[in-house]
Amino acid sequence: MSSGRLDAVPARAAPTQGVPRHPAWGWLAGAVALAALAALAAAPAATASDYWLSLGINLLQYAVMATAWALFSGPTRYVSLATVAFFGIGAYTFAVLGETWPQPVVLLTALGLGVVLAVLTGLATLRLSGVHFVIFTFGLAELVRQLVTWWEVNVTKSVGRYVFVDITQREIYWQLLALLVAVLALGAWIRRSRLGLALRVIGDDEQVASHLGIDTARTKILLFAISAGFITLTGAVMAPRWTYLDPAIAFNPTVSFQVLIMALLGGAGRLFGPLAGVIPLVLLFEVLSARFPNHFPILLGLVFLGIVYLVPNGVLEAVQRAGRPRRTESPS
Amino acid sequence: MLETRRALLTLAALLACAGPACAQDKIRIGWALSKTGPNAGGVATTQAPNYQLWVQEVNAAGGLLLKSTGKRVPIEVVEYDDRSSSEEAVRAVERLITQDKVDFVLPPWGTALNLAVGPTLHKHGYPHLAFTAVTDRAPELAKRWPNAFFFLGTSAQYAEGLMAHLESLRREGRIGPTVAMVSVADGFGIDLSGAARKVVEKHGFKLVYDKTYPLGTQDMAPMLQEIKALDPDVFIAFSYPPDTLTITDQARVAGFNPKVFYTGVGTAFPVYKQRFAANTEGVMGIGGVNFDSPAIKDYFKRHQAATGREPDRWASAITYAGLQAFQQALERVGRIDRAAVSAELKKGSFDTIVGPMKLDQQVYTGQWEVGQWQDGEFYAIAPAQRAGARNAIVPKPAWKH
Amino acid sequence: MVLIDILLGGLTLGGLYALVAMGLTLQYGVARIMNLAHGEFLILASFAAFVLVSQWRLHPLLALVLALPLGFALQWAVYRVLLTPLVRRTQAGPALEADSILATFGLLFIVQGIVLVIFGGNYYSYSYLSVPVSILGSTVAANRLLVLALAVLIGGALYVALIKTRLGTAVRVVAVAPRFAPLVGIDVRALSALAFGLGGALVAACGVLVSMFLPFSASMGVVFTMKALVVVIMGGVGHLAGCLAAGLLLGLVESIVARLVDPGLTLAATYVLFLGVLLLRPAGLFGRAAR
C-alpha cells in the first residue's frame, strides 16, 4: 500500500456490523432520545443565563457539524478538511443577505450554495483518495477564503460585514437543535437504506463496490452534498451571533480541525460517535480555557495525547466495550 | 403581581446589603483577551500590559476609591483567553457577566472582537470601552449601544489626517503629487485604504499604484520593486505588524526610499524600533505620541518597569488613558452602578496621560493621526496644529546599511 | 529587468517553501507520521535562534549549525518516546495515520503553549544578512538568497544520499515497502526514527533561517505547517526533488501573479495551482500513481 490512502479513519471508525441488538433496545433508545430532545428543547426556558445558553449553542454547533461530517467521512473513510469552507459560505450568505431577506430564504440560499460547491468538489475529487483528498479539501477551504476576500476587497470594497438582525440566542439554539435532530434522523435512515450499505462497501473497498454495480461516484457525491448542506446551514444559523463577520472569522481553519478531531475522538463510524466526541471536548475546552487561561494550549495538547494513548478507538467504542467486556477484539 | 415580586426582590437586595455580603470589599473586573491565535501579537504588545499596569497601580494605591463605602477597594481580576475567536469572545464575556458576576468588563482586542461582544455588553448594561477598535461605524454603533465608547477613532479620520498633512507638505513644495499605496486584505487595510482612496484627489494627489495583498504574505518584494520603478513621492502601506516589519526591511534592501515612507500597525511597536534602530529615522506611521509631555514620559517609565517592555506608540497610551477615564468616572460615581458610570463617561472630562479626555457622542477624537520616528522616538506630527505636534522630517533620510 | 525580478523573487520565496516542506516530506514519507506540529517546531527554532543571537551574542550561522543536531535530537526523541508506542500498537497499520494526526495535533498545542509561556504572544524580529545583493541588475536580500542556496544544497545532498548510500537505500525501502523491509534485515523503527530526526534537523535549520528575515510570533507555526503540507502533497509524498520542484513552482507563481496580475490573488493562485496539479496528477508531481 503506497502512502496514499488515509485508511486511518476506519480503525477509529470501525462500523458496528455484527453486533447483535435486541429489539427492545430500539424502543428504549427511542424513548430516551425523545425525552432527551424534550429536555434539550425546554432547556433555554429553564435557564435565564446567557452563558449556559451560549455553551449549549456551542455544543449544538459542533454536534451538528461533527455528525454531518461523519455522515460522509465515517463510512467512506474520506477525511474532509473542507468543513470550514461550507461553514463559512453559510455564514457569509447570511452576512450578505441576512439584513434584507427573510431568514428561511437566506437559509435556503445558503443551502443551495453549499450543495453546489459540494457537488463540484465531489466531481473534481473523484480520483483522489487518502491524504491527497485531505489536503485537497484543506486547499479548497483556503481557496474559497482567498476568493471571498478578493471579491470583498475589489468588488464590494470592504472586508468585514456588519450583521444586525433580531434573531435571539434562543432562536439560534432551537434552530441548531432542529438541525441536529434532522442530521441524526437522516443519518439513521441512511444507515438502514441501500445507500448506507453501498457507502460501507465503498469504504471497505471501492473496487469491490463498483464490481457489485454500485455507482460509487454518484453515491459519494450525494452523501458529500448532504453532509456539506448541514454544515453550510450551521454557518448560516450561527452568523447572527457575532455582529461582525470577515473572511478570517468565517473561514477559520481551526473549525475544520476541531470538527475532525471531535468526530475521530468519538468514533466517526457510528451515528452517535461524533456526539460522544463533541460533548467531552467542548466541555473540556471550556473548563481548560476558563480555569487555565495562561496554560490552555499545553493542557489541551496533553489531553489530546492522553486521548490517543488511552482511548484508541474512539470514546463510543470504549464505552461500549466497557459495557460488553466479553466482546472479541476485531483484528485491525 | 409583578410589582409585588419586584418589591420583594428589592427588599431582599436591601436586606442582603445590610449584611456583610454586600460590604463591597473588592471590585471584580473581568476581561477576555487573545492570548493565543492571530491576535495574540497585538494583545501582548498593546493591551495586556496596560491592563496589567493599571491593575497593579490601582491595587498598589489600595484600590479604587468608592465613596459609597468610604474606602478603597482592591481590584480582583478574572481573565480568560478568547483564542482570537469571535465565538469564544462572546461566550467568555457571557461567562464573565453571568457566571463570575464581575462588576465591570474590559474589552477584547481589535475591531472584530469588540463588535462581536458589543451586543452582549449592551444587553447586560455593561459599559463597553472599545480601546482598540477602529471603525467608521463608531458614531452609528454608539447610538445603537448607548454604553459603548470608542477610543481609537475612525479610519476616515486617520486617512484624512494623513492626506491633509501630506497636502500641506506638498504645498510647501517638499513633496510631489504621486502616491503609491498598498494595503492588507483585512479589516484595517481595506477600511483605511478605502478612506484614503476617497480623499486622495481632493488633496491634490495622484494614485500611481493601489494594490491589496492577502493576509500572511511573506514576500513584499514584487510590489516594492514595481512601486520603486514608478518612483512615487509618497509610499503608504496600510499593513499589519508582521507585514510592516517585512515591508520596511525589503524596502531598505531594495533601496526604495521615497520622500514619505508610511507603514501601518506595528510601526509604533517597540519591536520596530528594536529591529530597525537608526533606520527608523523618518519613517511615518499611524499613531504617535507627544513624547515631550512629562506625563507620557512618566507613563513609558512605569510601563517599562511594570511589564518589562515599552508600550506601543499608538494605542497603548490611549488604552491606558481610557482606563484612567474609566477609573475617574467610577470614583466620581462612588459606587458600583454601571449605568451611572456610563453616564459619567458620556458627560465628564477626564484627566489622563494624553491630556484632558472627553467622550463626546461616546467617541474620543483626540488621537494623533500620523507619527514619525525621529531620533529613536515615534513623535506625533499630525494634526499639526495641535499642541505637542512635531514638524515632519521630509524628505525621509536615506536608509543606512 | 522585470523578468529577473520575478525569477529572483520567485525562486527565493520558493526555496523557502521547499526548505520548510523537506523535513515534513521525510517524516511523512518514511516514518508515516503526518506531523501537524511541524510549524511549531520551526517557530521553536526561530525563538531559540533569537535567544542565541540577541542574548547570547552568538553568530547566526553558528546558531544554524547548532540547530541541526539539536533539532535532530529533539524530534528523534519525540518519535522514540511519543510516537513509537503508537507505531507499535497499530503495527504501523492504517490506524497509525489517524493516531498520529491526533498525537501531533496535541504536540502542536504543547509546543506552542510552551513558547507562549516563555516568550508571550509578541512579535519578535532580528536581522542578519539583510543586505542587498545585486544580480543582473536586480536586488535581493542576502538572507533570502541563503535560503534558496541551502534549499538546493540540502535537497540535492539528501537526494544523492538517499540514492547512493546504503543507509539511503534502506530508508527508501522503508518508505516504499515498510512491510517487506524487515525481511531484508532492515530495522524499520530505527530508520523511521532516523528519518523523523532528520526532518527535525531540517525544520530546525529552517526556523533559524526564517528568523533572519521574517518577524515571528508563537502563533505563527500553523502558517508554515499548512504551506509545507501543500508543497509535500503537490511534490509527491516522500520526494525531496518533488518537494523542491513544487516549492519553487509555488514561489514563482506567487511572484508572477504579484507582479503581473494582482498581489491580492497570489495565495488564490497558489491554491488553484495546487488543486489543479492534484486533479491532473493525484499522486503529486513526482509521486507514483496511487492505486
Side-chain angles (χ1 to χ4, degrees), chain B residues 5 16 72 126 151 176 211 237 244 256 341 348 380:
Chain B
R5 217 170 119 192
R72 290 188 174 273
Y126 277 63
F151 291 82
K211 291 279 169 66
T244 297
F256 170 52
V341 170

Side-chain angles (χ1 to χ4, degrees), chain B residues 7-19:
Chain B
L8 277 175
L9 280 176
T10 321
L11 188 67
L14 278 175
L15 283 175
C17 266

